Amino acid sequence: MRHAPVVVHRIHPSGGRQVTLRTANGEESLGLAHSDDDVIEFLRRAGMPDPDDVVLGGADLLDWQGDTPHVYEADPPTADLP
């Protein structure tokens, strides 16, 4: 089974998503993204060709875990505040 080389992890409770790159030695952290632009910049710095195309259309290169792709902020609480 082949895994996508880039993992965009689930949304942190305070917002943002950790982005990691799978390597032969495990996973390398690229940073905490708060937008697609952040992910594109992380991939550019990691030397990935055409990072815009990867983020916006390269589903086979990205593994969006746990939450809706391209969403970076946690949903606000739904309970009524006092």
Side-chain angles (χ1 to χ4, degrees):
M1 181 167 140
R2 185 182 172 281
H3 294 284
V6 179
V7 181
V8 183
H9 297 270
R10 70 177 38 254
I11 299 171
H12 286 260
S14 60
R17 299 174 85 146
Q18 187 66 35
V19 180
T20 57
L21 179 64
R22 289 184 172 127
T23 67
N25 297 326
E27 287 190 356
E28 174 187 340
S29 177
L30 299 180
L32 184 65
H34 291 277
S35 67
D36 284 349
D37 288 339
D38 289 345
V39 178
I40 290 167
E41 179 62 15
F42 296 156
L43 298 182
R44 185 192 65 74
R45 290 180 185 178
M48 185 166 285
D50 302 318
D52 296 70
D53 293 340
V54 171
V55 173
L56 301 176
D60 58 330
L61 298 177
L62 290 176
D63 181 5
W64 294 89
Q65 293 186 344
D67 294 292
T68 304
H70 310 285
V71 174
Y72 296 87
E73 298 302 320
D75 289 332
T78 57
D80 291 334
L81 298 175

Coordinates of all heavy atoms in Angstrom, one line a residue:
M1 N 0.8 -1.2 0.0 CA 0.0 0.0 0.0 C 0.9 1.2 0.0 O 1.8 1.4 0.8 CB -0.9 0.0 1.2 CG -1.8 1.1 1.3 SD -3.0 0.8 2.6 CE -3.2 2.3 3.4
R2 N 0.7 2.2 -0.9 CA 1.4 3.4 -1.0 C 0.8 4.5 -0.2 O -0.4 4.6 -0.2 CB 1.5 3.8 -2.5 CG 2.4 5.0 -2.8 CD 2.3 5.4 -4.3 NE 3.0 6.6 -4.5 CZ 2.5 7.8 -4.2 NH1 1.3 7.9 -3.8 NH2 3.2 8.9 -4.4
H3 N 1.6 5.3 0.5 CA 1.1 6.4 1.3 C 1.5 7.7 0.6 O 2.6 7.8 0.0 CB 1.7 6.3 2.7 CG 1.2 5.2 3.5 ND1 0.0 5.1 4.1 CD2 1.9 4.0 3.8 CE1 -0.1 3.9 4.7 NE2 1.0 3.3 4.6
A4 N 0.6 8.7 0.7 CA 0.9 10.0 0.2 C 2.1 10.5 0.9 O 2.3 10.3 2.1 CB -0.3 10.9 0.4
P5 N 3.0 11.2 0.2 CA 4.2 11.7 0.9 C 4.0 12.9 1.8 O 4.8 13.1 2.7 CB 5.1 12.1 -0.3 CG 4.2 12.4 -1.4 CD 3.0 11.5 -1.2
V6 N 2.9 13.6 1.7 CA 2.7 14.8 2.5 C 1.4 14.5 3.4 O 0.4 14.1 2.8 CB 2.5 16.1 1.7 CG1 2.2 17.2 2.6 CG2 3.7 16.3 0.8
V7 N 1.6 14.7 4.7 CA 0.4 14.5 5.6 C 0.0 15.9 6.2 O 0.8 16.6 6.7 CB 0.8 13.5 6.7 CG1 -0.4 13.3 7.7 CG2 1.3 12.2 6.2
V8 N -1.3 16.2 6.0 CA -1.8 17.4 6.7 C -2.7 16.8 7.8 O -3.8 16.2 7.5 CB -2.7 18.2 5.7 CG1 -3.2 19.5 6.4 CG2 -1.8 18.6 4.5
H9 N -2.2 16.9 9.0 CA -2.9 16.3 10.2 C -4.2 17.0 10.6 O -4.4 18.1 10.1 CB -1.9 16.3 11.3 CG -0.7 15.4 11.0 ND1 -0.6 14.1 11.3 CD2 0.5 15.8 10.4 CE1 0.6 13.6 10.9 NE2 1.3 14.6 10.4
R10 N -4.9 16.4 11.5 CA -6.2 17.0 11.9 C -6.0 18.4 12.5 O -4.9 18.7 13.0 CB -6.9 16.0 12.8 CG -6.3 15.9 14.2 CD -7.2 15.0 15.1 NE -7.8 13.8 14.5 CZ -9.1 13.8 14.2 NH1 -9.9 14.7 14.5 NH2 -9.6 12.7 13.6
I11 N -7.0 19.1 12.6 CA -7.0 20.5 13.1 C -6.7 20.5 14.6 O -7.3 19.7 15.4 CB -8.3 21.2 12.8 CG1 -8.6 21.3 11.3 CG2 -8.3 22.6 13.5 CD1 -9.9 21.8 11.0
H12 N -5.7 21.3 15.0 CA -5.5 21.5 16.4 C -6.6 22.3 17.0 O -7.3 23.1 16.4 CB -4.2 22.4 16.6 CG -2.9 21.6 16.4 ND1 -2.1 21.1 17.4 CD2 -2.3 21.4 15.2 CE1 -1.1 20.5 16.8 NE2 -1.2 20.7 15.5
P13 N -6.9 22.0 18.3 CA -8.1 22.7 19.0 C -7.9 24.3 18.9 O -8.9 25.0 18.8 CB -8.0 22.3 20.4 CG -7.4 20.9 20.3 CD -6.4 21.0 19.2
S14 N -6.7 24.8 18.9 CA -6.5 26.2 18.8 C -6.4 26.7 17.3 O -6.2 27.9 17.1 CB -5.2 26.6 19.5 OG -4.1 25.9 19.0
G15 N -6.5 25.8 16.4 CA -6.5 26.1 15.0 C -5.1 25.7 14.3 O -4.1 25.6 15.0
G16 N -5.2 25.6 13.1 CA -4.0 25.2 12.3 C -3.8 23.7 12.2 O -4.5 23.0 13.0
R17 N -3.1 23.2 11.2 CA -2.8 21.8 11.0 C -1.3 21.6 10.8 O -0.7 22.3 10.1 CB -3.6 21.4 9.8 CG -5.1 21.5 9.9 CD -5.7 21.2 8.6 NE -6.0 19.8 8.5 CZ -7.0 19.2 7.9 NH1 -7.9 20.0 7.3 NH2 -7.2 17.9 7.8
Q18 N -0.8 20.6 11.5 CA 0.6 20.2 11.4 C 0.7 19.6 10.0 O -0.1 18.8 9.6 CB 1.0 19.2 12.5 CG 2.4 18.9 12.5 CD 3.3 20.1 12.9 OE1 2.9 20.9 13.7 NE2 4.4 20.2 12.3
V19 N 1.8 19.9 9.3 CA 2.1 19.3 8.0 C 3.4 18.6 8.1 O 4.4 19.1 8.7 CB 2.3 20.4 6.9 CG1 2.6 19.8 5.6 CG2 1.0 21.3 6.9
T20 N 3.5 17.3 7.7 CA 4.7 16.5 7.8 C 4.9 15.9 6.4 O 4.0 15.7 5.6 CB 4.6 15.4 8.8 OG1 3.5 14.6 8.5 CG2 4.5 16.0 10.2
L21 N 6.2 15.6 6.2 CA 6.7 15.0 5.0 C 7.2 13.6 5.3 O 8.0 13.4 6.2 CB 7.8 15.8 4.3 CG 8.4 15.3 3.0 CD1 7.4 15.2 1.9 CD2 9.6 16.1 2.6
R22 N 6.6 12.6 4.7 CA 7.1 11.2 4.9 C 8.4 11.0 4.2 O 8.5 11.3 3.0 CB 6.0 10.2 4.4 CG 4.8 10.1 5.3 CD 3.8 9.1 4.8 NE 2.7 8.9 5.7 CZ 1.5 8.9 5.4 NH1 1.1 9.1 4.1 NH2 0.5 8.8 6.3
T23 N 9.4 10.5 4.9 CA 10.7 10.2 4.4 C 11.0 8.7 4.7 O 10.3 8.0 5.4 CB 11.8 11.1 5.0 OG1 11.9 10.8 6.4 CG2 11.4 12.6 4.8
A24 N 12.2 8.3 4.2 CA 12.6 7.0 4.4 C 12.9 6.7 5.9 O 12.9 5.6 6.4 CB 13.9 6.7 3.6
N25 N 13.2 7.8 6.6 CA 13.5 7.7 8.1 C 12.3 8.1 9.0 O 12.5 8.2 10.2 CB 14.6 8.7 8.4 CG 15.9 8.3 7.7 OD1 16.2 7.2 7.4 ND2 16.6 9.3 7.3
G26 N 11.1 8.2 8.4 CA 9.9 8.5 9.2 C 9.2 9.7 8.7 O 9.1 9.9 7.5
E27 N 8.8 10.6 9.6 CA 8.1 11.8 9.2 C 8.9 13.1 9.6 O 9.4 13.1 10.7 CB 6.7 11.9 9.7 CG 5.8 11.0 9.1 CD 4.3 11.2 9.5 OE1 4.0 12.1 10.3 OE2 3.4 10.5 8.9
E28 N 9.0 14.1 8.7 CA 9.7 15.3 9.0 C 8.7 16.4 9.1 O 7.9 16.6 8.2 CB 10.7 15.6 7.9 CG 11.4 17.0 8.0 CD 12.2 17.3 6.8 OE1 12.6 16.4 6.1 OE2 12.5 18.5 6.6
S29 N 8.7 17.1 10.2 CA 7.7 18.2 10.4 C 8.1 19.4 9.5 O 9.2 19.8 9.5 CB 7.7 18.7 11.9 OG 6.8 19.8 12.0
L30 N 7.1 19.9 8.8 CA 7.3 21.1 7.9 C 6.8 22.3 8.5 O 7.2 23.4 8.2 CB 6.7 20.9 6.5 CG 7.2 19.7 5.7 CD1 6.5 19.6 4.4 CD2 8.7 19.8 5.5
G31 N 5.8 22.2 9.5 CA 5.3 23.4 10.2 C 3.8 23.3 10.4 O 3.2 22.3 10.1
L32 N 3.3 24.3 11.1 CA 1.9 24.4 11.4 C 1.2 25.4 10.4 O 1.5 26.6 10.4 CB 1.7 24.9 12.8 CG 0.3 25.0 13.3 CD1 -0.3 23.6 13.4 CD2 0.2 25.6 14.7
A33 N 0.3 24.8 9.6 CA -0.3 25.6 8.5 C -1.7 26.2 9.0 O -2.4 25.5 9.7 CB -0.6 24.7 7.3
H34 N -1.9 27.4 8.6 CA -3.2 28.1 8.9 C -4.0 28.4 7.6 O -5.0 29.0 7.7 CB -3.0 29.3 9.7 CG -2.5 29.1 11.1 ND1 -3.3 28.7 12.2 CD2 -1.2 29.0 11.6 CE1 -2.6 28.5 13.3 NE2 -1.3 28.7 12.9
S35 N -3.4 27.9 6.5 CA -4.0 28.2 5.2 C -3.4 27.3 4.2 O -2.3 26.8 4.4 CB -3.9 29.6 4.8 OG -2.6 29.9 4.5
D36 N -4.0 27.2 3.0 CA -3.4 26.5 1.9 C -2.1 27.2 1.5 O -1.1 26.5 1.1 CB -4.3 26.4 0.7 CG -5.4 25.4 0.8 OD1 -5.4 24.6 1.7 OD2 -6.4 25.5 0.0
D37 N -2.0 28.5 1.6 CA -0.8 29.2 1.2 C 0.4 28.8 2.1 O 1.5 28.7 1.7 CB -1.0 30.7 1.4 CG -1.8 31.3 0.3 OD1 -2.0 30.7 -0.8 OD2 -2.4 32.4 0.5
D38 N 0.1 28.5 3.4 CA 1.2 28.0 4.3 C 1.7 26.6 3.8 O 2.9 26.4 3.8 CB 0.7 27.9 5.7 CG 0.4 29.2 6.4 OD1 0.9 30.2 5.9 OD2 -0.2 29.2 7.5
V39 N 0.7 25.7 3.5 CA 1.1 24.4 3.0 C 2.0 24.5 1.7 O 3.0 23.9 1.6 CB -0.1 23.5 2.8 CG1 0.3 22.1 2.3 CG2 -0.9 23.3 4.0
I40 N 1.5 25.4 0.8 CA 2.3 25.6 -0.4 C 3.7 26.1 -0.1 O 4.7 25.6 -0.7 CB 1.5 26.6 -1.3 CG1 0.3 25.9 -1.9 CG2 2.4 27.1 -2.5 CD1 -0.7 26.9 -2.5
E41 N 3.8 27.0 0.8 CA 5.2 27.5 1.2 C 6.0 26.4 1.8 O 7.2 26.3 1.5 CB 5.0 28.7 2.1 CG 6.4 29.3 2.6 CD 7.2 29.9 1.4 OE1 6.7 30.1 0.3 OE2 8.4 30.1 1.7
F42 N 5.4 25.6 2.7 CA 6.2 24.5 3.3 C 6.7 23.6 2.2 O 7.9 23.1 2.3 CB 5.4 23.8 4.3 CG 4.9 24.5 5.5 CD1 3.8 24.1 6.2 CD2 5.6 25.7 6.0 CE1 3.3 24.8 7.3 CE2 5.1 26.4 7.1 CZ 4.0 26.0 7.8
L43 N 5.9 23.2 1.3 CA 6.3 22.3 0.2 C 7.3 22.9 -0.7 O 8.3 22.3 -1.1 CB 5.1 21.9 -0.6 CG 4.0 21.1 0.2 CD1 2.9 20.7 -0.7 CD2 4.6 19.9 0.9
R44 N 7.2 24.2 -0.9 CA 8.2 24.9 -1.8 C 9.6 24.9 -1.1 O 10.6 24.5 -1.7 CB 7.8 26.4 -2.0 CG 8.8 27.1 -2.9 CD 8.5 28.6 -2.9 NE 8.8 29.3 -1.6 CZ 10.0 29.5 -1.2 NH1 11.1 29.1 -1.8 NH2 10.2 30.1 0.0
R45 N 9.6 25.1 0.2 CA 10.8 25.1 1.0 C 11.4 23.7 1.1 O 12.6 23.5 1.2 CB 10.6 25.6 2.4 CG 10.4 27.1 2.5 CD 10.1 27.5 3.9 NE 9.8 28.9 4.0 CZ 9.5 29.5 5.1 NH1 9.5 28.9 6.3 NH2 9.2 30.8 5.1
A46 N 10.6 22.7 1.0 CA 11.0 21.3 1.1 C 11.5 20.8 -0.3 O 12.0 19.7 -0.4 CB 9.9 20.4 1.6
G47 N 11.4 21.7 -1.3 CA 11.9 21.4 -2.6 C 10.9 20.6 -3.5 O 11.3 20.1 -4.6
M48 N 9.6 20.6 -3.2 CA 8.7 19.9 -4.0 C 8.3 20.7 -5.2 O 8.0 21.9 -5.1 CB 7.4 19.6 -3.2 CG 6.4 18.7 -4.0 SD 5.1 18.1 -2.9 CE 6.0 16.8 -2.1
P49 N 8.4 20.1 -6.4 CA 8.1 20.8 -7.6 C 6.6 21.1 -7.7 O 5.8 20.3 -7.3 CB 8.5 19.9 -8.8 CG 8.7 18.5 -8.1 CD 8.9 18.7 -6.7
D50 N 6.2 22.3 -8.2 CA 4.8 22.7 -8.4 C 4.0 22.5 -7.1 O 2.9 21.9 -7.1 CB 4.2 21.9 -9.5 CG 4.9 22.1 -10.8 OD1 5.3 23.3 -11.1 OD2 5.1 21.1 -11.6
P51 N 4.4 23.1 -6.0 CA 3.6 22.9 -4.8 C 2.2 23.4 -4.9 O 1.3 22.9 -4.2 CB 4.4 23.7 -3.7 CG 5.2 24.7 -4.5 CD 5.5 24.0 -5.8
D52 N 1.9 24.5 -5.7 CA 0.5 24.9 -5.9 C -0.4 23.8 -6.4 O -1.5 23.6 -5.9 CB 0.5 26.1 -6.8 CG 1.2 27.3 -6.3 OD1 2.4 27.3 -6.3 OD2 0.5 28.3 -6.0
D53 N 0.1 23.1 -7.4 CA -0.6 22.0 -8.0 C -0.8 20.9 -7.0 O -1.9 20.2 -7.0 CB 0.1 21.5 -9.3 CG 0.1 22.5 -10.4 OD1 -0.7 23.5 -10.4 OD2 1.0 22.4 -11.3
V54 N 0.2 20.6 -6.2 CA 0.1 19.6 -5.2 C -1.1 19.9 -4.2 O -1.9 19.0 -4.0 CB 1.4 19.4 -4.4 CG1 1.2 18.4 -3.3 CG2 2.5 18.9 -5.4
V55 N -1.1 21.1 -3.7 CA -2.1 21.4 -2.7 C -3.5 21.6 -3.3 O -4.5 21.1 -2.7 CB -1.7 22.7 -1.9 CG1 -2.8 23.2 -1.0 CG2 -0.4 22.5 -1.2
L56 N -3.6 22.2 -4.5 CA -4.9 22.4 -5.0 C -5.4 21.3 -5.9 O -6.6 21.3 -6.2 CB -4.8 23.8 -5.8 CG -4.4 25.0 -5.0 CD1 -4.3 26.2 -5.8 CD2 -5.4 25.2 -3.8
G57 N -4.6 20.4 -6.3 CA -5.1 19.3 -7.2 C -4.4 18.0 -7.1 O -4.9 17.1 -7.7
G58 N -3.4 17.9 -6.3 CA -2.7 16.6 -6.2 C -3.1 15.7 -5.1 O -2.3 15.4 -4.1
A59 N -4.3 15.3 -5.1 CA -4.9 14.5 -4.0 C -4.0 13.2 -3.7 O -4.0 12.8 -2.6 CB -6.3 14.1 -4.3
D60 N -3.4 12.7 -4.7 CA -2.6 11.5 -4.5 C -1.3 11.8 -3.8 O -0.6 10.9 -3.3 CB -2.3 10.7 -5.8 CG -1.6 11.6 -6.8 OD1 -1.7 12.8 -6.8 OD2 -0.8 11.1 -7.6
L61 N -0.9 13.1 -3.6 CA 0.3 13.4 -3.0 C 0.1 13.9 -1.5 O 1.0 14.0 -0.7 CB 1.1 14.5 -3.7 CG 1.6 14.1 -5.1 CD1 2.2 15.3 -5.8 CD2 2.5 12.9 -5.0
L62 N -1.2 14.2 -1.2 CA -1.5 14.7 0.1 C -2.5 13.8 0.8 O -3.4 13.2 0.2 CB -2.3 16.1 0.0 CG -1.5 17.3 -0.4 CD1 -2.4 18.5 -0.6 CD2 -0.3 17.6 0.6
D63 N -2.2 13.6 2.1 CA -3.1 12.8 3.0 C -3.7 13.8 4.0 O -3.0 14.2 4.9 CB -2.3 11.7 3.7 CG -3.1 10.8 4.6 OD1 -4.4 11.0 4.6 OD2 -2.5 10.0 5.2
W64 N -5.0 14.2 3.7 CA -5.7 15.1 4.7 C -6.3 14.2 5.7 O -7.2 13.5 5.5 CB -6.7 15.9 3.9 CG -6.3 16.8 2.9 CD1 -6.0 16.5 1.6 CD2 -5.9 18.2 3.1 NE1 -5.6 17.6 0.9 CE2 -5.5 18.7 1.8 CE3 -5.9 19.0 4.2 CZ2 -5.1 20.0 1.6 CZ3 -5.6 20.4 4.0 CH2 -5.1 20.8 2.7
Q65 N -5.8 14.3 7.0 CA -6.3 13.4 8.0 C -7.3 14.1 8.9 O -7.1 15.2 9.4 CB -5.1 12.9 8.8 CG -4.2 12.0 8.0 CD -3.1 11.4 8.9 OE1 -2.8 11.8 10.0 NE2 -2.5 10.3 8.3
G66 N -8.3 13.4 9.2 CA -9.2 13.7 10.3 C -10.3 14.8 10.1 O -11.2 14.9 10.7
D67 N -10.0 15.7 9.1 CA -10.9 16.8 8.9 C -11.1 17.1 7.5 O -10.4 16.6 6.6 CB -10.4 18.1 9.7 CG -10.4 17.9 11.2 OD1 -11.5 17.8 11.8 OD2 -9.3 17.8 11.8
T68 N -12.0 18.0 7.1 CA -12.2 18.4 5.8 C -11.0 19.1 5.2 O -10.4 20.0 5.8 CB -13.4 19.4 5.7 OG1 -14.5 18.9 6.3 CG2 -13.7 19.8 4.3
P69 N -10.5 18.7 4.0 CA -9.4 19.3 3.3 C -9.6 20.8 3.2 O -10.8 21.3 3.0 CB -9.3 18.6 2.0 CG -10.0 17.3 2.2 CD -11.1 17.5 3.2
H70 N -8.5 21.5 3.3 CA -8.5 23.0 3.1 C -9.2 23.8 4.2 O -9.4 25.0 4.0 CB -9.1 23.4 1.7 CG -8.5 22.6 0.6 ND1 -7.2 22.8 0.1 CD2 -9.0 21.5 -0.1 CE1 -7.0 21.9 -0.9 NE2 -8.0 21.2 -1.0
V71 N -9.5 23.1 5.3 CA -10.1 23.8 6.5 C -9.0 23.8 7.6 O -8.4 22.7 7.8 CB -11.4 23.1 6.9 CG1 -11.9 23.7 8.2 CG2 -12.4 23.2 5.9
Y72 N -8.8 24.9 8.2 CA -7.7 25.0 9.2 C -8.1 25.5 10.5 O -7.2 25.5 11.4 CB -6.6 26.0 8.6 CG -6.0 25.4 7.3 CD1 -6.6 25.7 6.1 CD2 -4.9 24.6 7.4 CE1 -6.0 25.2 4.9 CE2 -4.3 24.1 6.2 CZ -4.9 24.4 5.0 OH -4.4 23.9 3.8
E73 N -9.3 25.9 10.7 CA -9.8 26.3 12.0 C -10.8 25.4 12.6 O -11.6 24.9 11.9 CB -10.4 27.7 11.9 CG -9.4 28.8 11.4 CD -8.2 28.9 12.3 OE1 -8.3 28.9 13.5 OE2 -7.1 29.1 11.7
A74 N -10.7 25.2 13.9 CA -11.6 24.3 14.6 C -13.0 25.0 14.7 O -13.1 26.2 14.7 CB -11.1 24.0 16.0
D75 N -14.0 24.2 14.6 CA -15.4 24.8 14.7 C -15.5 25.4 16.1 O -15.1 24.8 17.1 CB -16.4 23.7 14.5 CG -16.5 23.2 13.1 OD1 -16.2 24.0 12.2 OD2 -16.9 22.1 12.9
P76 N -16.2 26.5 16.2 CA -16.5 27.1 17.5 C -17.4 26.2 18.3 O -18.2 25.5 17.7 CB -17.1 28.5 17.2 CG -17.6 28.4 15.8 CD -16.7 27.3 15.1
P77 N -17.4 26.3 19.6 CA -18.3 25.5 20.4 C -19.7 25.8 20.0 O -20.1 26.9 19.8 CB -18.0 25.9 21.9 CG -16.7 26.6 21.8 CD -16.5 27.1 20.4
T78 N -20.6 24.7 20.1 CA -22.0 24.9 19.7 C -22.9 25.2 20.9 O -24.0 25.6 20.8 CB -22.5 23.7 18.9 OG1 -22.3 22.6 19.7 CG2 -21.8 23.6 17.6
A79 N -22.3 25.0 22.1 CA -23.1 25.2 23.3 C -23.3 26.7 23.6 O -22.4 27.5 23.2 CB -22.4 24.5 24.5
D80 N -24.5 27.0 24.1 CA -24.7 28.4 24.4 C -23.8 28.8 25.6 O -23.6 28.1 26.5 CB -26.2 28.6 24.9 CG -27.1 28.4 23.7 OD1 -26.7 28.6 22.5 OD2 -28.3 28.0 24.0
L81 N -23.2 30.0 25.4 CA -22.4 30.6 26.5 C -23.2 31.3 27.5 O -24.2 31.9 27.1 CB -21.3 31.5 25.9 CG -20.4 30.9 24.9 CD1 -19.5 32.0 24.3 CD2 -19.5 29.8 25.6
P82 N -22.9 31.2 28.8 CA -23.7 31.9 29.8 C -23.7 33.4 29.7 O -22.8 34.0 29.2 CB -23.1 31.5 31.1 CG -21.8 30.8 30.8 CD -21.8 30.5 29.3

